[in-house]
Structure formats: structure tokens, C-alpha cells
RNA sequence: UGGGGAGUGGUGAAAUGGAAUCACACGUGGCUCUGACCCACGGUUUCCAGGUUCGAGCCCUGGCUCCCCAGCCA
């Protein structure tokens, strides 16, 4: 793993352990597994990994690392109809990108098919499993309900010989899909529905992405998963809450087929993030219906999407660390994720200047044709890093349109008619004249004068800050660029909880991305390499898009905006203006 | 109505019978050539009702609310 500063920034230094680490610590101390710790991350290769998986990955790999154990990466590939090598590759890439290493412990449940089959045979021989020949529908009806016990299948008491024979013929391809299944003989009246003779194997005449047509008999998750854990000598099998009921099967199978010390399953609450969806099915739907540009759309909560968006592995790990882990269903706010990303980027993204919505400024007392190259540090004082570049100042520059106001509020620190502002790393200018389009009235240019002595000068002994320092670019030197501003994908915190007659797609945010074309960047950014991250001062953190950006024609994605206390204040003022007066009655 | 889980400020988590703590968010103030970062201060008294105890978020009893389980998905 890594030892970047971000990793050590655990809340409260983490003296206290979460319930999972507590269990692992207990087992380590008691020598339950001879001090050994082995976890595993077991994705099914039928979709892309998302931030919810990242939580699980950080947990499993994190715990293994902290206790000197190892974490296996295992593809839980037991369903030939949905799985694909492309997903395996994306999963491997994503886990690696997150910064984790499984050494030579990459496994596939599909490699265990033969051993699993033998274990099933053993169960049959022990009279603990039987071939059921009921139809799918009959099986459902025999299962009963949560209130009524199920009924035994008429095939439940077949002889061992007959079961063995049937099971072998199921494997050899003699029967069509659905003709028979193998079930554990447990208890059709069990109060835990999962224990009513769970299905272990089903016939599927389907090509498997790894095993081809060598099998037409496939194990169910409930059978393959615990036994794969046992085969790999996993000690702590960590999964999400919805598998709590499945633990009974897990224990039943492993107890019946493996000696102590055997793996045990523990469950934690999966991650829910506000303003996004986390189910593979819904994510797939967004992709297939072209509601997003793909699995790596920067708005997607997928690892691929976050990577393209510019999130860092360190930031994501910091997030996972901060949210902790528990058994209570929870819903985490986006701010927690964004702050972790910012926290990480703050220390590693050099500051540069970009004007997203340009407004022309002519410095009338600046000689025509003159260019002044000004030393500009990449880092603010408090970061304590070295490095700078020279920025050209000329007669015509562009500033942010939002940094000028004709009718500013009392606490305005930026430019206004007759007012002053600091061009960051350069001089102070004063606005003498506002030029506007005669037809539309729109402000098209500001004519300013500058204080030639102001570059490099200290604030001048002023106690209280009276003007802002704003970003700017020289008109003649600026690099045009496209900048994409990403926002939350949905307009409601919990899109999955759609009301009657609606779906999660009804709450899709219509303005979740804004493409800005006429942006102007400082000259050095022309050759930003794809994947390179910067802070555009006073805007946020940005990354040169890995797919669309190229030298000379940069395209930047906003990773995350900077906090903006002023914008917040303005918003609140607007709100109180709206609600205030109407409340008088 | 059965079984399995869970309830601590707005959000996520600590506190393992001994002064409710941390992070994010929010508010106020300070610092600042980023209205960023950073610093300081502020708001909960632990789902409810009883009980045990010198002492309860932790233990007991009874409620309430929410989540999961009736796929040949995982």
C-alpha cells in the first residue's frame, strides 16, 4: 500500500477500532488461526466497480495489511450468463489503481468448479444434499412464505445412489435447463427462509467466459462462496448486511465440509452516497440508455468515472477511512467525499490561473506591445512547496466576468466601477470605464489603469483586507480551452427511493454537466499532459481529461470546486429576500 | 403477523458501567495576493417508557421506527 501523508490522517489517530478490526484483533490475539489473517474481495465480474466497492476494498485490503495478512482478489464467477472478461479486466485495473496489491492471490471461483463438484458429491454421499426435480415454479410454491413453513419436495428422499447418478448426468449434459437442481437437505420449515433446502447447483447450458462449454452445471453463490473462502483458507469473510441471513448456509456448508479453524462471515453496512445511485443494475441502465457517456463518465460513482473525473486513489482511501464502518444502514453526504478529495489535492495540485467566463480588460496606461514577465509561485505559502513560472502581463487581459460587478454589495472585494482589485501575482488595477454593447447593454470591456509599482509589493500595511486578488490571463498569450463543470447526477439525495409511478431516472439532474468552450488558460497549460491535475485558483481542482485533452487543445474536467463562503452568503441573502418579506403576516 | 439486523448533533462514526468525543456540514470571529487552506469559538445530551446501580449511550424489561429474507442473481 502507500504511505502518503493522506493515509495517516485518520480521524482521531484511530485509537479505537471498528467492530471488524476488533474481531480480527481478538482472533489474532487468541491465535484462532495461528495468528494468520486472510481476507478477500470477491466481486462478480458482471459490472464495473463503484465507490461502494471501494469501501469494501479498502476494508478488506486495509485489514489484511494492518494485521500482516493478505487479501485475495477473487472473481465470484458462478453465473455464465452475465459475466465477461472485460469486467474482470476493469475490476483488476480499478483495484490496482486504488493502490492495492494482491500479489499472486488472484483467484476465480470458476477455477474451483471441479473441487466444488466433488464437495457436492460428498454432501450427497453424506445424505445432506439431493437432486430435486420439481419445476422452478413448484419449488417456489413448496418454499412457503415468511409466515408458513414450506413443504418437503417429493424428491427429497431419493437414495444416495439415485442422487449420485442424477447429479453426474446433470453434469454430463443429459438434461435441459431447469430439469433438476441440487439442493441442500436442511429444513423446509426453517424460520430463516434461506435455510429451506437452498439450491446448490442449477443446469445452465451456457458458455462461460472462462470455462467455455466444459460445464453446463453451475454452483449457486450460496454454495460457491463459502466453499471458495474455505478452499483459499480465508479467515475473515467480510460482506454486506443483506447476506446476514445467508450466513446460516455459510456455516452449515463449511461446518459440514471443512475442519476448524474455518472462515467466518461478518457483515457490515454497505455505502450509500447522497445524490447518486449505487446499484449495478441502475448504473448499467444509465450506460445502456446513454443517459451518461459510459462507465467512465465523470459523473458516475464508478471507480472508472471517478478516475476520469480526477479523483485520486489517496482521496478515495481517505474518504473510506473517514466514513468508518458499522452495521447501521447509513447514507453519506457528498461533502464528505468531496472534502476528502480536496484535502488530498490541496497539498499536491499546483495553483495556476484560468478564466472560465472571460471579460476583457484593457489597461490603458500600459504601453502597447509591452510584455512584462512576472514570477508566479505554484504554491501558496502554507503548502511549503517550491516552484514557480513566469506569467506575461500585457495591455489587454481577461478576467472572470463574475469578478466584476456594476452594482456591488457592500462587502464586495472584487472589481467595480471606480474600484480597485489586485491581479493575482501582478499589479493593482482601477476600473475607469465600462464599455458596453450598444444594442444589448452587455458589458464587453473594462478600461482600467494600473499601479506599476504594485507588483511584488506587500499589501502595504493595510490591517483589513479591502480588495480581492483575482485570476487573469494575458489576451495575447492565453490558451483557449474547453472546461467541463460536473455536478451531482441527481437532484434528490436518494434517487432509488422514487415515488409511485416514477423511477430513479426521473430525478436525473438536467444540468449535471456544463461544457464551457471559450475558456482561457495561462500559457503553460497548453501542454498539460492528460491526467495532470491543477488547482485553477478560486475555482477548484481540475484535470486534463484523459480521453479528450491533447497538447495544444486542452480539455479540463472540474474534479471538485473550492469551498466558497462568499457564494454561500450571497445565496442565503437571496433566500432570505425571497422568504423574508412574505412572512410578515 | 415469522426470522435476521439496526437506532448517538444535519451526516458518518467514537465512547467496551465513571465527566458524551472526532470528522464533514452549519454559524460566528480571526488570518490571507485564492472570499481557498489554516486557526478559534458555538450548537446534541444518546428512539421512547420503566428498572438495576453511588453512577447507564453501554446492563435488564416493555414498546416504537427503519432495513434485509419467500431468484434455478450475487
Amino acid at each position: 500500500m502507500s504511505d502518503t501523508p493522506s493515509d495517516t490522517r485518520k480521524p482521531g489517530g484511530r485509537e479505537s477500532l471498528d467492530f471488524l478490526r476488533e474481531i480480527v484483533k481478538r482472533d489474532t490475539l487468541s491465535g484462532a488461526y495461528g495468528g494468520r489473517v486472510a481476507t478477500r474481495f470477491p466481486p462478480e465480474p458482471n459490472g464495473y466497480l463503484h465507490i461502494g466497492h471501494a469501501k469494501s476494498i479498502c476494508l478488506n485490503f486495509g485489514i489484511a495489511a494492518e494485521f500482516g495478512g493478505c487479501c485475495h482478489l477473487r472473481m465470484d464467477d458462478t453465473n455464465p450468463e452475465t459475466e465477461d472478461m472485460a469486467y474482470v479486466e476493469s475490476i483488476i485495473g480499478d483495484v490496482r489503481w486504488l493502490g492495492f496489491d494482491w500479489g499472486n492471490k488472484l483467484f476465480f471461483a470458476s477455477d474451483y468448479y471441479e473441487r466444488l463438484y466433488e464437495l457436492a458429491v460428498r454432501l450427497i454421499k453424506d445424505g445432506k444434499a439431493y437432486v430435486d426435480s420439481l419445476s422452478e415454479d413448484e419449488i417456489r410454491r413448496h418454499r412457503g412464505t415468511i409466515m408458513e413453513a414450506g413443504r418437503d419436495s417429493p424428491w427429497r428422499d431419493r437414495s444416495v445412489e439415485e442422487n449420485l447418478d442424477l447429479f453426474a448426468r446433470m453434469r454430463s449434459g443429459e438434461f435441459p435447463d431447469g430439469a433438476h437442481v441440487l439442493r441442500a437437505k436442511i429444513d423446509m420449515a426453517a424460520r430463516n427462509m434461506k435455510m429451506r433446502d437452498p439450491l446448490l447447483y442449477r443446469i445452465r447450458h451456457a458458455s462461460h467466459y472462462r470455462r467455455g462449454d466444459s460445464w453446463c452445471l453451475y454452483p449457486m453463490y450460496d454454495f460457491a462462496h463459502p466453499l471458495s473462502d474455505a478452499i483459499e483458507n480465508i479467515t475473515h469473510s467480510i460482506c454486506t448486511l443483506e447476506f446476514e441471513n445467508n450466513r446460516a448456509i455459510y456455516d452449515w456448508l463449511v461446518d459440514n465440509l471443512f475442519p476448524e479453524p474455518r472462515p467466518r462471515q461478518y457483515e457490515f453496512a454497505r455505502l450509500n452516497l447522497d445524490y447518486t445511485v449505487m446499484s449495478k443494475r441502475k448504473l448499467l441502465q444509465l450506460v445502456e440508455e446513454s443517459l451518461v457517456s459510459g462507465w467512465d463518465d465523470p459523473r458516475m460513482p464508478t471507480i472508472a468515472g471517478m478516475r476520469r473525473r480526477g479523483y485520486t486513489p489517496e482521496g478515495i482511501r481517505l474518504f473510506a477511512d473517514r466514513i468508518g464502518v458499522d452495521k447501521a444502514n447509513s447514507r453519506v453526504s457528498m461533502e464528505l467525499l468531496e472534502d476528502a478529495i480536496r484535502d488530498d489535492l490541496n497539498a499536491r495540485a499546483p495553483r495556476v490561473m484560468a478564466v472560465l467566463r472571460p471579460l476583457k480588460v484593457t489597461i490603458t496606461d500600459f504601453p502597447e506591445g509591452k510584455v512584462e514577465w512576472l514570477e508566479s509561485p505554484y504554491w501558496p505559502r502554507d503548502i511549503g512547496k517550491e516552484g514557480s513560472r513566469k506569467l506575461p502581463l500585457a495591455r489587454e487581459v481577461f478576467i472572470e466576468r463574475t469578478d466584476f460587478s456594476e452594482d456591488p454589495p457592500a462587502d464586495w472585494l472584487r472589481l467595480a466601477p471606480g474600484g480597485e482589485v489586485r491581479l493575482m501575482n501582478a499589479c493593482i488595477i482601477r476600473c475607469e470605464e465600462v464599455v458596453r454593447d450598444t444594442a444589448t447593454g452587455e458589458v464587453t470591456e473594462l478600461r482600467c489603469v494600473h499601479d506599476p509599482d504594485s507588483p511584488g509589493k506587500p499589501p502595504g500595511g493595510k490591517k483589513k483586507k479591502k480588495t480581492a486578488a483575482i485570476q487573469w490571463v494575458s489576451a495575447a498569450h492565453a490558451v483557449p480551452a474547453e472546461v467541463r463543470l460536473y455536478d451531482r447526477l441527481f437532484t434528490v439525495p436518494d434517487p432509488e427511493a422514487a415515488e409511485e409511478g416514477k423511477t430513479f431516472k426521473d430525478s436525473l439532474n438536467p444540468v449535471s454537466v456544463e461544457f464551457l468552450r471559450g475558456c482561457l488558460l495561462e500559457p503553460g497549460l497548453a501542454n498539460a499532459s492528460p491526467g495532470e491535475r491543477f488547482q485553477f485558483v478560486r475555482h477548484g481542482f481540475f484535470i486534463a481529461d484523459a480521453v479528450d485533452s491533447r497538447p495544444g487543445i486542452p480539455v479540463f474536467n472540474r474534479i471538485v470546486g473550492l469551498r466558497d463562503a462568499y457564494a454561500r452568503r450571497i445565496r442565503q441573502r437571496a433566500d432570505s429576500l425571497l422568504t423574508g418579506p412574505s412572512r410578515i403576516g
Side-chain angles (χ1 to χ4, degrees), chain A residues 288-304:
Chain A
E288 287 189 333
E289 296 176 24
S290 298
L291 269 6
V292 294
S293 65
W295 286 105
D296 70 341
D297 186 302
R299 294 167 294 178
M300 291 281 272
T302 50
I303 306 290

Side-chain angles (χ1 to χ4, degrees), chain A residues 113-124:
Chain A
Y113 284 176
E114 191 62 47
R115 294 183 69 180
L116 292 172
Y117 180 85
E118 285 161 16
L119 290 166
V121 166
R122 234 175 85 201
L123 240 28
I124 294 172

Side-chain angles (χ1 to χ4, degrees), chain A residues 193-210:
Chain A
M193 297 288 295
K194 287 271 148 80
M195 292 296 271
R196 321 252 257 227
D197 288 10
L199 275 62
L200 270 23
Y201 271 93
R202 78 288 212 188
I203 299 170
R204 277 282 170 288
H205 289 274
S207 226
H208 187 270
Y209 77 100
R210 288 185 82 242

Side-chain angles (χ1 to χ4, degrees), chain A residues 74 76 109 112 116 223-234:
Chain A
R74 180 173 72 234
D76 234 339
Y112 304 145
L116 292 172
F223 184 73
H225 187 82
L227 301 181
S228 298
D229 280 350
I231 287 169
E232 291 177 19
N233 285 311
I234 296 300

Side-chain angles (χ1 to χ4, degrees), chain A residues 523-529 532 551-552 554:
Chain A
L525 258 24
N527 296 310
S529 352
E532 207 174 348

Side-chain angles (χ1 to χ4, degrees), chain A residues 309-311 334-335 337-343 345-346 484 486 534-536 539-543 557-563:
Chain A
R309 170 81 166 256
Y311 285 13
M334 212 46 126
E335 281 88 354
L337 210 208
E338 293 185 340
D339 187 75
I341 301 300
R342 265 192 224 109
D343 201 340
L345 255 20
N346 182 47
R484 301 163 179 178
Y486 294 101
F534 300 91
Q535 182 191 108
F536 291 179
H539 278 302
F541 295 98
F542 291 77
I543 186 170
N557 300 330
R558 181 170 65 193
I559 303 167
V560 58
L562 254 26
R563 282 177 56 191

Side-chain angles (χ1 to χ4, degrees), chain A residues 324-389:
Chain A
V325 57
D326 199 6
K327 296 193 72 153
N329 290 311
S330 60
R331 177 155 280 286
V332 174
S333 62
M334 212 46 126
E335 281 88 354
L336 213 48
L337 210 208
E338 293 185 340
D339 187 75
I341 301 300
R342 265 192 224 109
D343 201 340
D344 180 52
L345 255 20
N346 182 47
R348 43 196 286 192
R351 317 294 136 120
V352 296
M353 294 205 281
V355 172
L356 268 28
R357 298 173 177 86
L359 173 60
K360 184 176 169 188
V361 169
T362 302
I363 306 173
T364 55
D365 57 349
F366 199 95
E368 207 127 8
K370 179 185 172 188
V371 178
E372 205 174 326
W373 292 86
L374 303 164
E375 198 70 37
S376 307
Y378 277 124
W379 307 96
R381 242 172 245 301
D382 57 297
I383 298 295
K385 286 191 180 174
E386 303 284 316
S388 65
R389 78 291 192 194

